Amino acid sequence: MIPFLFVILLLCFHPHKAFSAHCTTKTTTKTFEKCMPLPSQDASIAWTFHRHNSTLDLVFSGTFISPSGWVAWGINPNSPEMTGTRALITFPDPNSGQLVLLPYIIDPTVKLQKSPLLSRPLDLHLLSSSATLYGGRMATIHNGATIQIYATLKLKPNKTKIHHVWNRGLYVQGYSPTIHPTTINDLSSIATIDVLSGISASGPNNFVQTLKLVHGIMNAISWGVLLPIGAVTARYLRHIQSLGPTWFYVHAGIQLSAFLLGTAGFAIGVHLGQLSPGRVYGLHRKLGFAAFFLGSLQTLALLFRPKTTNKFRKYWKSYHHFVGYACVTLGVVNVFQGFEVMGEGRSYAKLAYCLCLATLIGICVALEVNSWVIFCRKSKEDKLRREGIFRGQEKTCGSELGDRH
């Protein structure tokens, strides 16, 4: 069950790796030799590299996320990062509404939002550039509209590894594109591609992205699935007399497994925070620390569990129930918060988790109804039994009085 869920979440978190994302070498105006799906934002790139003169013809395909938004593609000549990128950004003209494509240089002041992003000539050997909406002249700019940015540039001799950077934003102020969203999906829009071999080279982001994926899957399974299952086993299995103490060992085993797996996921999350000092996910971080703290208290509580005859046993049970349910609630809420942080708020991964959680809730409702039915039946039987005993005693007392008379 758990390995199967792990695989499902893995495929859902990265559908572009599990299944081939769409890319094409043919457009309405040109045909290219190679194409490659890019790792975020459903973007792709196609190109032809002419070795004899080191000329690169390419087309970048992306999508708008707002009717007044912008889409950008660029090259960073020095390193795989946003700062220093020479970009071509397309958006609707604020005056005419027609599509425009302007050059920009992303310097550190723009990243820190100290100054607006202003168009200026690129220091690249750009031979030509243009942008067209997919769908021809009748196409309109809207949320989800596909845009194609064409560029022809001359590369330096023997320089075939290109750092591609792309992104998209919600709106433009005048002719200055505003900051893009800061989800994981938007912050990982970088790829280093060898245009000669067509191989995507590993960049520094790949390791971090892998850690984020592992962190998300481990915590979704531990805090979001195993921990609630452990709470359900304790609530509903303990009343089955035929199981004896087995329910406790099942409950403790599931919760301990969840805590150990969650601790590993928590440690990866802390390490990710150290690797990304400029990115702060306040609510997600606080919920994670709170859930881990409560989980640690629950684990330590096992060491101080009083015997059933101890007078403090009822206080320990109240504490254990309160902290346990609080930990489960925080864990589930933080899993949903994690989906938003990773830019998977509308993904199949979140849908799969919601279905899993809904199934568990449905099982709980069925077991709760069954428990109340059994409880009411036993109460009725006990009441009838007490009434039978009471009537029997009355008859006995009546017969004794008759014998005395």
Side-chain angles (χ1 to χ4, degrees):
M1 172 64 181
I2 298 305
F4 176 74
L5 181 61
F6 181 89
V7 173
I8 292 296
L9 284 174
L10 179 64
L11 296 181
C12 291
F13 265 116
H14 278 253
H16 58 274
K17 292 183 180 179
F19 309 101
S20 296
H22 176 70
C23 78
T24 179
T25 57
K26 293 183 179 181
T27 66
T28 54
T29 57
K30 284 187 177 182
T31 299
F32 299 90
E33 291 182 353
K34 296 181 175 67
C35 76
M36 178 179 293
L38 296 174
S40 67
Q41 300 181 349
D42 296 324
S44 65
I45 191 169
W47 73 93
T48 298
F49 178 61
H50 306 281
R51 296 185 63 180
H52 64 279
N53 60 1
S54 298
T55 302
L56 179 66
D57 284 321
L58 64 84
V59 59
F60 165 83
S61 298
T63 54
F64 281 95
I65 56 174
S66 168
S68 58
W70 56 267
V71 176
W73 165 86
I75 288 177
N76 191 320
N78 302 314
S79 58
E81 60 177 337
M82 184 185 76
T83 304
T85 296
R86 277 61 173 168
L88 295 172
I89 305 181
T90 181
F91 51 86
D93 189 292
N95 299 317
S96 66
Q98 298 297 314
L99 195 66
V100 296
L101 180 69
L102 298 176
Y104 294 84
I105 297 178
I106 315 299
D107 56 37
T109 60
V110 174
K111 184 176 181 179
L112 297 173
Q113 302 181 56
K114 292 182 177 179
S115 61
L117 181 59
L118 301 176
S119 177
R120 51 177 163 158
L122 303 181
D123 52 0
L124 295 175
H125 198 167
L126 183 66
L127 301 178
S128 65
S129 62
S130 62
T132 59
L133 279 171
Y134 182 79
R137 294 183 179 180
M138 300 300 293
T140 58
I141 300 174
H142 58 273
N143 184 9
T146 299
I147 183 72
Q148 294 174 327
I149 299 176
Y150 293 85
T152 301
L153 59 156
K154 191 173 182 61
L155 304 180
K156 294 179 180 179
N158 301 320
K159 176 72 174 179
T160 60
K161 286 187 178 181
I162 307 298
H163 304 303
H164 296 269
V165 182
W166 64 97
N167 225 307
R168 55 194 181 180
L170 291 169
Y171 59 96
V172 178
Q173 290 182 342
Y175 289 89
S176 298
T178 58
I179 188 171
H180 57 75
T182 56
T183 66
I184 296 288
N185 195 34
D186 298 295
L187 294 174
S188 59
S189 51
I190 300 170
T192 302
I193 302 174
D194 190 324
V195 294
L196 181 59
S197 64
I199 298 175
S200 179
S202 297
N205 272 349
N206 291 73
F207 176 67
V208 175
Q209 286 299 111
T210 302
L211 280 183
K212 288 174 181 175
L213 177 63
V214 173
H215 165 75
I217 292 176
M218 291 178 70
N219 284 337
I221 292 175
S222 57
W223 301 102
V225 177
L226 285 179
L227 212 64
I229 289 176
V232 169
T233 58
R235 178 168 179 79
Y236 299 110
L237 295 186
R238 64 186 302 171
H239 301 294
I240 302 177
Q241 297 180 354
S242 59
L243 291 178
T246 305
W247 71 266
F248 172 76
Y249 299 113
V250 173
H251 165 68
I254 294 175
Q255 299 299 74
L256 187 59
S257 300
F259 179 71
L260 293 176
L261 186 62
T263 299
F266 174 78
I268 293 174
V270 172
H271 184 57
L272 283 171
Q274 295 172 347
L275 293 177
S276 310
R279 302 174 190 174
V280 179
Y281 304 106
L283 180 59
H284 184 60
R285 182 182 177 88
K286 291 174 183 176
L287 288 174
F289 272 95
F292 178 74
F293 176 72
L294 293 179
S296 301
L297 286 180
Q298 283 292 81
T299 306
L300 291 174
L302 291 174
L303 302 177
F304 304 99
R305 182 169 175 256
K307 295 182 178 179
T308 53
T309 55
N310 194 300
K311 63 179 181 179
F312 294 106
R313 173 76 174 198
K314 60 179 181 179
Y315 301 111
W316 182 90
K317 286 181 65 177
S318 299
Y319 151 82
H320 188 64
H321 288 167
F322 174 78
V323 175
Y325 287 125
C327 186
V328 169
T329 303
L330 286 178
V332 171
V333 170
N334 206 27
V335 168
F336 282 104
Q337 181 65 22
F339 280 120
E340 299 301 322
V341 167
M342 292 189 71
E344 304 285 343
R346 296 184 178 181
S347 66
Y348 288 112
K350 185 176 180 180
L351 177 61
Y353 177 70
C354 289
L355 290 175
C356 180
L357 202 62
T359 302
L360 186 60
I361 292 173
I363 293 172
C364 289
V365 171
L367 290 174
E368 190 70 26
V369 171
N370 183 64
S371 297
W372 277 102
V373 170
I374 294 175
F375 174 77
C376 293
R377 186 183 300 165
K378 285 186 176 180
S379 298
K380 188 175 182 180
E381 290 176 354
D382 291 341
K383 183 179 179 181
L384 292 174
R385 190 179 297 110
R386 287 195 300 270
E387 289 179 353
I389 294 174
F390 181 73
R391 289 173 182 173
Q393 289 177 346
E394 284 184 339
K395 289 180 180 180
T396 303
C397 292
S399 59
E400 288 180 355
L401 289 173
D403 293 339
R404 290 178 182 176
H405 289 292

